[in-house]
Amino acid sequence: QVQLRESGGGSVQAGGSLKLSCAASEYSCKMGWYRQAPGKEREFVASIPTDGTTLYADSVKGRFTNSQDNAKNTLYLQMDSLKTEDTAVYYCAAGRRNKMLRTCTFSYWGRGTQVTVSS
C-alpha cells in the first residue's frame, strides 16, 4: 500500500502563494491533488498521469502548477494568485494500476493539509 504525506499548507493573504508537497513511499502510475472546502464535496484539482499531460481543474488553471520529482516520488503543487475560494483541505492521491484492464485509478490518499486564504 502506498503511503502519502502532504506538507506545505498554511495561511496566506489573497493574491499570495503557497507550495504543497506530497511524499510517496513508492512509485505510482499517477499522482494528483484533490481538495475539500467546508460544506462541499471533495473536488479534483490537478494530476500527472504516467506518460500523460498534466491536468487541471478549470478553477485553478493558469494559477496552479503541478509537478513531480520522479526520483523522489514526490509531487508538488505550486499555488499562485490564491483566492479565498481556494481555502480547503488539500489531499494528495496516488493511483493503483489494473494491468488486465490497463487502467490507473486513484486509490491511496494522504491525510490532508489545510490551506487558508484570507482577504
Side-chain angles (χ1 to χ4, degrees), residues 27-116:
Y27 167 84
S28 298
C29 50
K30 69 177 179 181
M31 296 184 69
W33 298 92
Y34 282 71
R35 68 185 183 186
Q36 186 167 24
K40 297 184 178 180
E41 297 181 354
R42 187 174 298 187
E43 65 175 352
F44 169 80
V45 176
S47 68
I48 303 180
T50 301
D51 298 323
T53 58
T54 302
L55 304 175
Y56 298 95
D58 288 341
S59 60
V60 306
K61 189 171 296 184
R63 299 188 298 117
F64 291 11
T65 303
N66 198 18
S67 62
Q68 184 172 14
D69 184 337
N70 292 324
K72 297 181 178 180
N73 291 322
T74 301
L75 186 70
Y76 303 97
L77 185 67
Q78 177 66 47
M79 304 184 294
D80 298 318
S81 301
L82 283 163
K83 304 175 180 179
T84 56
E85 305 92 272
D86 296 317
T87 295
V89 176
Y90 284 71
Y91 298 90
C92 180
R96 180 175 61 204
R97 181 174 299 283
N98 185 312
K99 293 184 178 181
M100 180 175 295
L101 297 178
R102 299 169 63 185
T103 58
C104 180
T105 304
F106 283 125
S107 301
Y108 309 103
W109 302 86
R111 293 183 176 181
T113 185
Q114 177 70 49
V115 171
T116 302

